[in-house]
Amino acid sequence: MDDEIKARTRPDAPREAAVKSRPARQALDDQGRAADFFRSVDSAPKAVSVARPRSVQDVALVTFAFVAVIVLALPELVQTGVLNLPVARDYVLFTADRVNVMLPVRSFILSFFLTYAIFAYGSRLTRMRLGGLFVLKFTLACAVIDGAAWASWRFVDAVWPIHFQQFLAGMAGLAIFPHTLISNARLPVDSGVANLRTGKIHEYAVLLIAAGIAAVIAIIVATVYADEAGYVRSIALLGGMGPGVFLAQQLMTGQLATIGWMRNMVSRRRAYAPPVTVLVPAHNEAHQIRETLLAVDAAAQRYDGPVRVVVMENCSTDATARLAETTLGGCLHLAGWTVDVSTIPGKAKALNRGLDLIEDEYVVRIDADTMIGPDAIRTAMRHFANSKVGGVGGLPLPQEDEGLLSKVRAIEVLLRHGFVQVSFGAFGGIFGLPGMFVIYRRRALDEAGGFTEGMNGEDTDITLAMTSLGWRMVSDPRAKFYTETPDTLAFLREQRTRWFRSLYHVTAHNRTALFRNGSIIGCVVLPFTLLNGARRAMMTPLLIYGLIVFFIFGGVYGHPDFATVVAVILGMPFILALTVLIVWRRFDLLWVLPLYMGFRFLRSYYTLGSTLSLIYPPRRAERAFQAPKPRQAPPFTG
């Protein structure tokens, strides 16, 4: 690529033909955006998802409430009805301590599974089969748990607390949900990327030591300070089973986040500024593309190496390409630029086409609705002084003055990317870097085969593929960038449905990464992420379920223990969010915390909707989708 400023279009897609092939210009809103500008072929990739109206999940939640009432009532009817049988509540087969079941966990899991099967996208027979699989798997899991409790009581005279049995049943339900979805939905087949990453003793040692320290502290809190802990639990701020599983989890994450932050400081200690090319895929971004490119120019001024820009205009119906050319023509600190117009839809396709135009060893991917900070490229590139680093991401803060939702989003970002993601970096557990701003080593990018097309989550997919090949990923919150926050519920729903659906697309496409070679990502982090995704999908139904139990079955299941449930849903996350905001010194966001706690249920609502957008074919042979991955070039040699 020449150093002089230039504009170029693909020979097979001249600008005149591209403009003529576009549909008529759409009406613009008060921000100059086309109607439904956020929708594209990536909103619901037709091979592995279906766009469903919001009413589907609304009716599903109402149906869940009716199903839950029936499932909860059945044991009581059997006990007090005509049969008058002494059956245990909540479908518990055996409990040695003879304590009444206070938390009807199993009824909730069964109600959720049955409701999901009713509203899954597939034929009636397929949905019946799906429901049968859910119930069968969960019944077997509960039988194993209760059988182990009986054996412990019968042969070693050790009594399992019923709370522990219910905790295990709940964890089994969380595991069964993603396992059944991935096994039965139409999803991408395995990518075939070699799984070269093996388990490392020091990674597991860091994780286990942090877990051990957290467990000791949790036990001390639950024993030495039992009265204080009991009071905090009674007001629904401390959750957990026994000594405090959820307290220990947060303590462990806090330790790991501290280690991860220190590791980032060491990793970026050396200056490193080779040539880079910024790749910007853009679809209907005329309202934002100017600010995005000017931010890149400002970052180029602070970077010691040459910075080039390639804008991949992808089937826009607005003036994205023209505004990109005009803006780039006025930039003062770029070594060169290209604007490419494509009539082939799809972000991954645009990215792969863009790679053909790039000759530099490092590729900076930036979404067209993102403004990077002036030091973002300089800070992130320092990590590449380590030859083992394959990708570096940063902190995706919302743009300022974008309304109340942007403030809620800021809390979410600081928790996820400024805390949890950093903690994963402490033990080499980062496998997903947001494509809004991420820098790739070209060699690692090509070894992984480029960006997979026809599915959601191509950014996480390429990152996971690179980690499987042995490359290290870094998430450094010091590399800040600012993204557009949805300002309508339709925009937010489209964004979150796409994001949450990608978990299943990416996992299916990287099946060989699960439980292979002792890799800490495949054996710990990815399974944990799947469990967390299931928990998030169940959170809104769980709130409905708690209200049903409290108001309808309050005389059957005691209320005090529900403080534990409330603490798990609201209490501990509230304390964690408060702590993170104090650490980041974002005191201006403290008043938004109650709104963020409510937003978590809206997020759960969209998560449930994303799982309902998966397709369940009637035959096994129809479940496999070969996601295109056209870049199978040999490793880049520099």
Side-chain angles (χ1 to χ4, degrees):
M1 180 183 295
D2 297 333
D3 288 343
E4 63 181 0
I5 295 177
K6 59 184 178 178
R8 176 173 59 190
T9 57
R10 302 279 298 186
D12 57 341
R15 180 173 306 281
E16 292 79 7
V19 173
K20 289 180 181 179
S21 65
R22 293 172 181 164
R25 185 178 179 85
Q26 302 178 21
L28 304 180
D29 64 11
D30 57 0
Q31 299 185 48
R33 304 179 304 189
D36 284 356
F37 73 98
F38 50 85
R39 298 192 191 279
S40 68
V41 295
D42 297 310
S43 297
K46 61 181 180 180
V48 285
S49 61
V50 60
R52 307 188 74 180
R54 191 185 64 188
S55 58
V56 171
Q57 61 207 77
D58 292 339
V59 176
L61 290 175
V62 174
T63 303
F64 167 80
F66 284 101
V67 173
V69 170
I70 294 172
V71 173
L72 281 165
L74 281 177
E76 304 307 313
L77 292 175
V78 172
Q79 282 188 16
T80 60
V82 178
L83 297 178
N84 196 26
L85 297 176
V87 298
R89 293 189 177 115
D90 199 40
Y91 307 95
V92 176
L93 302 177
F94 175 82
T95 168
D97 61 6
R98 307 300 180 189
V99 175
N100 286 332
V101 179
M102 304 299 290
L103 297 173
V105 174
R106 304 184 189 198
S107 297
F108 167 73
I109 297 293
L110 286 171
S111 301
F112 179 82
F113 283 167
L114 291 172
T115 303
Y116 181 85
I118 292 172
F119 288 89
Y121 189 81
S123 66
R124 181 178 300 178
L125 184 61
T126 300
R127 286 182 278 127
M128 291 177 60
R129 177 181 175 276
L130 187 65
L133 284 174
F134 276 133
V135 173
L136 177 61
K137 290 180 181 180
F138 190 60
T139 300
L140 291 176
C142 291
V144 170
I145 293 168
D146 294 347
W150 175 83
S152 175
W153 167 77
R154 177 67 176 79
F155 297 108
V156 296
D157 198 28
V159 175
W160 285 21
I162 183 59
H163 289 351
F164 181 62
Q165 288 178 241
Q166 294 294 74
F167 171 75
L168 293 179
M171 295 301 296
L174 289 178
I176 288 170
F177 185 63
H179 178 269
T180 305
L181 265 59
I182 293 173
S183 301
N184 292 273
R186 188 164 196 257
L187 294 169
V189 298
D190 187 75
S191 64
V193 173
N195 186 13
L196 305 180
R197 186 182 180 94
T198 58
K200 299 178 181 178
I201 295 177
H202 73 273
E203 293 176 344
Y204 281 100
V206 169
L207 198 61
L208 292 175
I209 291 172
I213 293 174
V216 169
I217 296 175
I219 291 173
I220 291 174
V221 169
T223 53
V224 179
Y225 300 97
D227 293 339
E228 292 83 353
Y231 171 74
V232 176
R233 182 175 284 112
S234 70
I235 60 174
L237 287 179
L238 177 62
M241 304 291 180
V245 172
F246 295 96
L247 173 61
Q249 176 187 339
Q250 309 308 335
L251 291 171
M252 181 180 72
T253 307
Q255 296 175 72
L256 294 174
T258 302
I259 298 172
W261 189 271
M262 295 172 61
R263 190 175 185 184
N264 279 341
M265 292 177 60
V266 173
S267 179
R268 63 170 178 266
R269 69 188 184 279
R270 287 185 287 171
Y272 190 67
V276 301
T277 296
V278 176
L279 179 59
V280 185
H283 171 76
N284 284 343
E285 296 292 350
H287 64 286
Q288 182 72 47
I289 191 70
R290 182 177 182 274
E291 289 75 12
T292 297
L293 296 177
L294 290 177
V296 172
D297 189 46
Q301 183 181 14
R302 303 285 290 271
Y303 185 64
D304 294 330
V307 177
R308 300 175 177 85
V309 174
V310 174
V311 176
M312 300 301 299
E313 195 279 334
N314 187 237
C315 299
S316 296
T317 58
D318 59 14
T320 296
R322 178 175 59 82
L323 288 174
E325 289 180 349
T326 301
T327 303
L328 289 169
C331 290
L332 302 176
H333 308 288
L334 300 179
W337 57 267
T338 297
V339 175
D340 184 277
V341 178
S342 171
T343 57
I344 304 174
K347 180 182 286 189
K349 291 181 182 293
L351 290 168
N352 285 323
R353 285 167 60 88
L355 292 178
D356 293 334
L357 308 178
I358 295 175
E359 300 173 1
D360 289 324
E361 186 179 356
Y362 296 95
V363 179
V364 184
R365 174 187 168 177
I366 300 176
D367 278 357
D369 61 355
T370 297
M371 293 187 298
I372 61 174
D375 294 317
I377 296 178
R378 183 178 66 177
T379 299
M381 282 302 302
R382 295 174 73 95
H383 294 280
F384 286 101
N386 182 345
S387 61
K388 296 180 181 179
V389 172
V392 179
L395 186 67
L397 293 168
Q399 295 176 13
E400 299 293 336
D401 301 324
E402 285 202 343
L404 194 58
L405 187 57
S406 69
K407 299 183 185 301
V408 173
R409 170 65 177 159
I411 298 176
E412 181 184 42
V413 164
L414 292 174
L415 277 166
R416 178 69 182 93
H417 298 278
F419 180 68
V420 176
Q421 184 85 316
V422 176
S423 71
F424 285 175
F427 55 90
I430 296 174
F431 71 89
L433 297 174
M436 295 169 280
F437 168 74
V438 57
I439 305 180
Y440 302 111
R441 189 185 296 270
R442 179 63 182 269
R443 177 183 172 187
L445 195 64
D446 285 348
E447 284 182 359
F451 298 97
T452 304
E453 302 171 0
M455 57 176 270
N456 291 131
E458 82 290 331
D459 50 357
T460 302
D461 179 73
I462 190 67
T463 310
L464 184 52
M466 287 191 288
T467 61
S468 296
L469 292 169
W471 294 98
R472 179 190 163 205
M473 300 296 121
V474 176
S475 180
D476 188 352
R478 288 286 298 274
K480 297 179 181 179
F481 56 99
Y482 304 88
T483 64
E484 184 178 33
T485 304
D487 56 358
T488 65
L489 287 178
F491 187 2
L492 181 65
R493 180 174 182 260
E494 188 277 339
Q495 180 195 71
R496 295 312 174 102
T497 300
R498 176 166 38 87
W499 285 3
F500 299 145
R501 187 198 297 126
S502 69
L503 172 62
Y504 301 100
H505 288 182
V506 171
T507 302
H509 197 234
N510 295 272
R511 299 169 198 259
T512 54
L514 280 168
F515 305 109
R516 297 291 179 88
N517 298 344
S519 162
I520 200 161
I521 289 178
C523 297
V524 178
V525 182
L526 191 52
F528 169 79
T529 304
L530 287 169
L531 292 177
N532 192 49
R535 176 198 62 80
R536 184 175 290 174
M538 295 180 185
M539 198 165 73
T540 297
L542 182 60
L543 176 64
I544 296 172
Y545 185 76
L547 295 174
I548 291 172
V549 173
F550 186 89
F551 288 107
I552 300 179
F553 294 89
V556 178
Y557 298 99
H559 295 163
D561 280 340
F562 276 93
T564 301
V565 179
V566 174
V568 172
I569 297 176
L570 293 174
M572 286 304 298
F574 180 85
I575 293 176
L576 177 61
L578 178 63
T579 303
V580 170
L581 291 182
I582 293 174
V583 170
W584 275 95
R585 299 180 181 178
R586 291 300 304 268
F587 305 111
D588 59 306
L589 296 176
L590 292 179
W591 70 274
V592 189
L593 268 178
L595 295 176
Y596 169 72
M597 303 310 295
F599 173 77
R600 294 171 69 248
F601 291 99
L602 182 62
R603 189 173 61 186
S604 167
Y605 171 79
Y606 293 141
T607 305
L608 176 61
S610 72
T611 63
L612 290 171
S613 70
L614 299 175
I615 300 172
Y616 293 92
R619 290 180 291 275
R620 180 182 296 271
E622 298 175 354
R623 298 175 193 166
F625 167 65
Q626 189 70 46
K629 199 165 190 175
R631 298 187 59 82
Q632 298 295 345
F636 181 73
T637 56

